[in-house]
Amino acid sequence: MTVIWTQDGIVEKDPWTQGAEDAPKLLPLAEALKHAQDNAPFGVVLQPADDVRTLAPILDRVAIIALTFPAFSDGRAFSQGMLLRERLGYQGEMRAVGTILLDQVPLMLRTGFDSFEVEHAPTIKRLVEKRLPGIDLHYQPAADHTDAGPSYSWRRTAILNG
């Protein structure tokens, strides 16, 4: 069973996964670049090796970007997510798809993910119960702009270029 989860809970009727003929489409990067001239809403599915900067000219027309995690040990989509949020200023929905396990979800939230396509039954159970693992205080910069803990001059800080 696959569910879509957000911080508000399980999404019952997700327009991107219903599969109806008139439903909006999640397109691979190459197709999305061609589809950008259409007025119909569309989303993009990015693979780990895709360059997110390719989306910059059409980013304002993309309703959702699904970033793929092909394995628990492949974290390239974390970097893609931060690039989309911090450097390219993407404000739309960002979804994690693929191999999504509970331990990754708090980090995904910090890097700007809004929704998660989850198949792993124990992860679904914990998400439904809103039992996320994590640390309450953070000193690293993040896309979710969580309040930071005490500052330390010797630790790395981020300088955001607009």
Side-chain angles (χ1 to χ4, degrees):
M1 175 171 115
T2 301
V3 300
I4 304 298
W5 181 83
T6 69
Q7 288 186 314
D8 296 328
I10 301 295
V11 176
E12 295 298 328
K13 295 182 179 177
D14 180 62
W16 302 101
T17 58
Q18 289 182 347
E21 187 66 32
D22 59 342
K25 306 285 186 242
L26 281 170
L27 305 169
L29 180 59
E31 281 185 50
L33 293 171
K34 295 176 189 172
H35 189 73
Q37 308 312 319
D38 299 345
N39 288 330
F42 72 97
V44 180
V45 178
L46 292 178
Q47 298 304 315
D50 289 341
D51 185 355
V52 297
R53 295 173 297 181
T54 310
L55 287 173
I58 64 165
L59 213 47
D60 60 332
R61 290 178 291 229
V62 178
I64 180 174
I65 298 175
L67 299 169
T68 306
F69 289 84
F72 180 80
S73 60
D74 188 341
R76 292 177 285 178
F78 284 109
S79 299
Q80 288 174 318
M82 284 299 289
L83 286 169
L84 284 164
R85 292 288 192 215
E86 297 297 325
R87 288 201 188 154
L88 299 176
Y90 180 66
Q91 298 295 314
E93 182 177 347
M94 206 162 63
R95 178 172 293 176
V97 299
T99 305
I100 311 300
L101 300 178
L102 185 66
D103 291 344
Q104 299 168 308
V105 173
L107 299 172
M108 290 173 175
L109 288 167
R110 292 212 14 100
T111 52
F113 286 87
D114 303 300
S115 63
F116 307 84
E117 186 178 286
V118 184
E119 296 177 2
H120 186 246
T123 298
I124 294 170
K125 182 178 186 291
R126 291 277 301 268
L127 291 173
V128 167
E129 296 169 353
K130 295 190 178 196
R131 291 180 44 221
L132 295 175
I135 299 171
D136 295 335
L137 296 173
H138 306 281
Y139 63 86
Q140 304 95 339
D144 74 349
H145 302 293
T146 302
D147 291 336
S151 63
Y152 298 94
S153 61
W154 51 270
R155 292 188 176 156
R156 181 180 71 86
T157 60
I159 298 173
L160 301 176
N161 297 328

